[in-house]
Amino acid sequence: MNPTMGLQLLLVAGGAIAVAAVARRRGWPAPLLLVAAGLLVSPMVPAVPLQPELVLFVFLPPLLYSAALDSSYLRLRDVKRAVALLSVGLVVFTAAVVGFVVHLLLPDLPLALAFALGAIIAPPDAVAAVAVGRRLGLPRRALTILVGESLFNDATALTLYRVAIGAAVGGTVDLLEGVGEFLFAAAGGVLIGLALAFVFAWLFQRTRDSLVENTLMLLIPFAAYLAAESVHASGVIAVVIVGLYLGNRMHLRGFGTRLVSDAVWKVTDFFLETIVFALIGLQLVTVIEGITGYSPWEVAGYAAAVLAVTIVSRFVWVLAATSLTWLLRRGDRPPTRQQTVILGWAGMRGVVSLAAAFAIPPDIPARDRAMMLFLTFTTVIGTLLIQGTTFPTLIRRLGVSSDQEVYEDRLAEAAAQQAALEAGLAELERLVAEQGEPDEIQKQVIDQLREKSWRRSLSAWERLGGGTGQGGSETPSSLYRRLRRDMLQAEREVFVRLRDERRLDDEVLREVMAQLDFEEAMMER
């Protein structure tokens, strides 16, 4: 990499992080603001090329792995039919509909390339939708479906894309061969993912070192993706399978591994997603420059038509799929109108579509390639800015809320805390009985342990009642947290003053600060 490109990427990353920081501070959806900022500055800065290999081999694996690691295997299993209908059925349906429409609009574009464009546009990226949905309290089932769809739909779309591009270059379309390639890619991805999951789980059982385990975790998504892609299986599915398996077994790791892992992947997600959405907007000039031989009104009409077909086809499929699922599974509650509308509108496209479009081989005529890239770009931007900006309003207008789920979660947590603490106290009493009559110091320690258990149980039940420490409704636990936070700040100031006076070494300061930080983190929880 030459110094100029390195400086360019550094400036993009720095600017993107600054924009994301403003979005987080204001409570705005960061992906949408990043795309808009990229569009605004694109004509004023040198072109920043979007390298397909960078997206597919560097950005995509860790983002998929992190999402899978943070997902619930049990909840995904509960909605597996909905996820399959969206991640496989909807992708195929969208690719077919968009392909036929594009071929009608552009008869000179070969049918195979039209279907390739459909496959490129077909997979939504749920990052923006899930971010907005979590912030506004979208019900857990809807969020799980959106996350599950985003985990698996790229595998379907990229496989269809390979088949269609192969047909365009080779000149023939073999449906049976295409189905076989898809099944091989899916099955191969699952098998490789499971094999690697077992290997890494075995390694983790023998390391018991949080630093080593988290370093290995950074390598896992790339290892799984490359291993699957090297044999033409689905790297996406392999990464997702490994992430789901290891995430479901995270409770077997040590507390240090879990604490470090959570921090590592939050930073990784923020950094990669920030750069990815900024790069989407920065492609404006590159995409427009390649369009020749069409009037502005023609290309605008084509872009609007493809965008409309993409949005409408998702609504049609979601409506048909939810109705069919309910009819086939009698006894289940039918999906509500609000759920159907939200799932239908959560179809924002992302960087995987753009990367696939940029990866169209040079064997394709330059005019066709430029038009495919332009239509992909306008669809991605259109769905992000139109659906993304209206998604929060739609959720509010439909009155969809997770308030009942939050109450049920708090009730379940309080009951579980009570049961767990009773078990802990029973174990404490057993240990005390075994060692005989305690002395005065031991009695004080035992009393402290009992008091701490009582406080944790009380705190769980207080959250159920809504006590927050605001507006005169301060509970004992919230009072304890408020006063203890002020005490911790005073303690920190003393430690820092002693360090500055050279009466305390920096290494000692870091150790005691870590202890205070962990205590404050526990209170925030």
Side-chain angles (χ1 to χ4, degrees), residues 301-347:
Y302 296 151
V306 173
L307 175 61
V309 168
T310 302
I311 293 174
V312 171
S313 63
R314 180 177 178 89
F315 263 110
V316 171
W317 180 265
V318 168
L319 181 62
T322 51
S323 301
L324 180 62
T325 302
W326 174 56
L327 289 174
L328 293 178
R329 300 184 66 196
R330 297 176 185 176
D332 283 3
R333 289 182 303 170
T336 64
R337 176 179 61 88
Q338 291 90 338
Q339 292 172 339
T340 302
V341 172
I342 286 173
L343 289 176
W345 197 244

Side-chain angles (χ1 to χ4, degrees), residues 137 139-140 333 400-412 464:
R140 182 177 296 142
R333 289 182 303 170
V400 178
S401 172
S402 61
D403 290 345
Q404 182 62 31
E405 286 182 348
V406 171
Y407 176 79
E408 292 173 355
D409 284 348
R410 287 180 175 175
L411 180 61
L464 188 63

